[in-house]
């Protein structure tokens, strides 16, 4: 390795050389091209010569030592060749010169048929390395698209959101299974704070990309953090379009999350329009493999009113239909109010595929969130403890006290009161 070798790669090389040496030691006996295993050291019987239990130079003990030394030398040479082969497959550095040198000076090659160590296992090692780093020139090698895992987590960890669970899963699944989508997938999440909008966005990222939100193919924008001053809108627009375009060029699949979307200026939403507009079937452009998630508190009151009406009528919240809530959400968002959606092209041109409603959470949903928080930290709990955590939350309306005003947002902090 040269002096310019990155520390991470040197560390990896040491680990792999040690692994290859261990595998070779375990499976080296009886393999073509490998030395025979060393004979066991024989101790002389007690009382024979001076230095009981010690070997004299040149005796059987010295021969056993030489055999071990020879065996380890062969393993080291073989491991070095395996490492060179692996480095060529992963980094392609200096491989052509090496091949030319071998062609000019052909020689005997060490045994490549050691049990558990061979070219098939080097392929496995290469794939193993690629699971920890980027191995392709463009795009994210770590796209996983674990749709089954996404469905399971939505069902088991997202509480009280039968509409969001169904819409998000089916929309993402259908989009990823489409061989040539006509446009990017655009979902807009709506509801009170703490109902699970950010939770679902993180879940989508973690199941589509191995690195989740840390992936190079995932970009998160928070309105007041990334675009705080309206006087810099032109600069923000240029930066936003440049970052989206750069990510799409790098990755064959990308995810963009806009938190507090209701606080985005309408001109910023219009700047996103070229990336989410319909482009027909004229080839699969970069933007067609992108997913856009907008997270907003807009429409929360409308959603809560519908849920409260169903409760007062004695109807289960699971009877609330997507058609009913989406229709009311669109009417509210299109009203000439001070919100970015009403003044942008997103709704007027039907660029948002689904308005996803997140219902307000009730007492038993808060208990489930508390249970998950205890389990995540490996802490014991009882039903009485879960009840106590839920009672610490504020519930509205004032008369019914039906819905948690904070959702599950502060539940993980509340359980700190119950720590020993």
């Amino acid at each position: 390795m040269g002096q310019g070798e990155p520390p991470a790669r040197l560390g990896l090389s040491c680990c792999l050389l040690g692994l290859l040496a261990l595998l070779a030691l375990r499976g080296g006996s009886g393999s073509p091209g490998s030395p025979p295993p060393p004979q066991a050291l024989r101790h002389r019987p007690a009382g024979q010569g001076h230095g009981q239990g010690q070997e004299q130079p040149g005796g059987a003990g010295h021969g056993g030592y030489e055999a071990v030394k020879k065996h380890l030398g062969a393993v080291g040479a073989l491991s070095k060749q395996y490492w060179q082969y692996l480095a060529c497959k992963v980094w392609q550095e200096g491989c052509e010169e090496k091949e030319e040198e071998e062609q000019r000076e052909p020689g005997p090659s060490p045994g490549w048929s050691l049990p558990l160590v061979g070219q098939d296992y080097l392929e496995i090692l290469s794939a193993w390395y690629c699971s920890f780093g980027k191995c392709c020139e463009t795009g994210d090698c770590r796209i996983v698209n674990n749709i089954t895992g996404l469905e399971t987590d939505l069902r088991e960890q997202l509480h009280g959101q039968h509409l969001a669970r169904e819409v998000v899963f089916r929309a993402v699944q259908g989009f990823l299974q489409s061989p040539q989508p006509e446009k990017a997938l655009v979902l807009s999440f709506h509801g009170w704070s703490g109902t699970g909008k950010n939770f679902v966005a993180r879940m989508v990222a973690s199941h589509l990309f191995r690195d989740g939100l840390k992936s190079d193919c995932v970009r998160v924008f928070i309105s007041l953090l990334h675009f705080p001053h309206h006087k810099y809108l032109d600069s923000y627009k240029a930066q936003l379009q440049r970052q989206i375009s750069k990510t799409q060029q790098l990755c064959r699949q990308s995810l963009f999350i806009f938190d507090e979307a209701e606080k985005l200026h309408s001109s910023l939403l219009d700047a996103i329009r070229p990336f989410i507009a319909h482009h027909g079937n004229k080839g699969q452009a970069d933007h067609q493999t992108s997913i856009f998630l907008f997270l907003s508190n807009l429409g929360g009151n409308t959603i809560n009113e519908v849920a409260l009406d169903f409760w007062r009528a004695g109807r289960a919240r699971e009877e609330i239909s997507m058609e009913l809530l989406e229709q009311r959400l669109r009417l509210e968002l299109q009203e000439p109010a001070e919100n970015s959606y009403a003044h942008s092209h997103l709704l007027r041109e039907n660029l948002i595929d689904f308005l996803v409603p997140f219902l307000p959470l009730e007492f038993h949903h808060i208990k489930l969130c508390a249970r998950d928080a205890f389990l995540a930290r490996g802490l014991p709990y009882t039903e009485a403890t879960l009840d106590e955590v839920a009672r610490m939350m504020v519930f509205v309306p004032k008369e019914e006290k039906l819905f948690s005003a904070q959702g599950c947002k502060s539940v993980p902090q509340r359980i700190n009161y119950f720590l020993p």
Side-chain angles (χ1 to χ4, degrees), residues 9-296:
R9 192 179 300 179
L10 287 175
L12 178 62
S13 66
C14 293
C15 293
L16 288 177
L17 281 174
L19 176 62
L20 290 169
L22 177 61
L23 291 173
L25 278 171
R26 291 179 58 189
S29 60
S31 301
S34 62
Q39 300 296 324
L41 296 178
R42 297 186 179 90
H43 295 283
R44 297 175 64 178
Q48 293 185 9
H50 34 262
Q52 293 183 0
Q54 295 181 359
E55 291 291 339
Q56 300 298 319
H62 183 71
Y65 168 79
E66 291 296 330
V68 171
K69 181 178 179 181
K70 182 179 180 181
H71 186 76
L72 290 177
V75 168
L78 186 60
S79 298
K80 182 177 180 181
Q81 180 157 346
Y82 283 140
W83 169 250
Q84 291 174 346
Y85 175 81
L86 178 62
C88 285
K89 288 192 66 62
V90 175
W91 296 295
Q92 294 87 35
E93 294 179 0
C95 299
E96 295 181 358
E97 293 82 354
K98 182 69 177 177
E99 291 177 358
E100 292 177 359
E101 181 180 346
E102 290 177 352
Q103 290 176 359
R104 290 194 302 268
E105 300 177 3
S109 60
W112 282 85
S113 57
L114 289 174
L116 298 179
V117 181
Q119 297 199 32
D120 290 341
Y121 287 87
L122 288 172
E123 296 288 349
I124 295 174
L125 286 174
S126 300
W128 172 79
Y129 173 78
C130 289
S131 71
F132 289 93
K134 304 294 187 300
C135 296
C136 48
E137 296 179 358
T138 59
D140 188 349
C141 298
R142 299 158 67 76
I143 297 173
V144 291
N145 288 345
N146 183 9
I147 297 300
T148 302
L150 176 62
E151 180 184 23
T152 300
D153 282 356
L154 285 171
R155 182 178 63 252
E156 297 180 355
Q157 299 182 29
L158 182 64
H159 306 302
Q161 305 297 351
H162 67 284
L163 295 177
R165 180 189 307 125
E166 184 75 11
V167 173
V168 170
F169 170 69
R170 292 192 178 276
V172 173
Q173 180 189 45
F175 177 76
L176 295 179
Q177 290 179 349
S178 176
Q180 192 171 0
E182 295 185 3
K183 65 182 292 294
L185 175 64
V186 183
L187 305 179
S188 188
F189 296 172
H190 296 269
W192 269 5
S193 177
T195 52
K197 301 186 299 294
N198 275 282
F199 182 63
V200 172
R202 292 194 302 270
M203 193 181 294
V204 170
S206 65
H207 285 291
L208 300 191
F209 303 89
R210 192 183 303 274
D211 296 326
L213 294 178
K214 296 181 180 180
S215 171
D216 291 339
C217 297
V218 178
R219 291 287 179 267
V220 180
F221 301 96
I222 303 174
S223 299
L224 295 183
L225 177 63
H226 294 94
F227 318 108
H229 306 293
H230 284 184
K231 62 181 179 180
Y232 300 125
L233 279 176
D234 289 340
S235 176
Y236 292 154
K237 288 168 60 177
Q239 292 176 16
L240 178 59
Q241 290 181 325
R242 184 165 56 250
Q243 289 188 47
I244 293 177
S245 179
K246 181 179 178 180
T247 303
Q248 290 180 335
Q249 291 174 6
L250 172 68
C251 306
R252 58 183 174 86
Q253 177 181 303
S254 50
L255 173 65
F256 302 96
I257 302 172
F258 293 84
D259 198 4
E260 300 177 341
E262 75 278 3
K263 299 172 185 175
L264 281 172
H265 195 276
S266 58
S267 63
L268 290 175
L269 289 176
D270 289 338
I272 303 171
R273 177 180 171 274
F275 302 99
I276 62 178
H278 293 267
H279 288 269
N281 293 318
K282 299 177 181 179
Q284 189 168 4
D286 293 332
H287 55 263
Q288 293 176 347
T289 55
S290 297
I291 299 176
F292 288 78
L293 303 180
F294 295 97
L295 283 53
S296 172

Side-chain angles (χ1 to χ4, degrees), residues 297-319:
N297 292 335
L298 284 176
N301 291 335
T302 295
I303 297 170
N304 295 354
E305 289 173 4
V306 172
L308 185 58
D309 290 342
F310 269 67
W311 181 82
R312 287 172 174 166
R315 302 175 63 182
R317 63 191 280 137
E318 286 74 21
E319 296 181 36

Side-chain angles (χ1 to χ4, degrees), residues 373-385:
F374 277 106
L375 291 174
R377 297 174 64 171
L379 299 173
Y381 65 89
T382 63
E383 282 297 317
T385 304

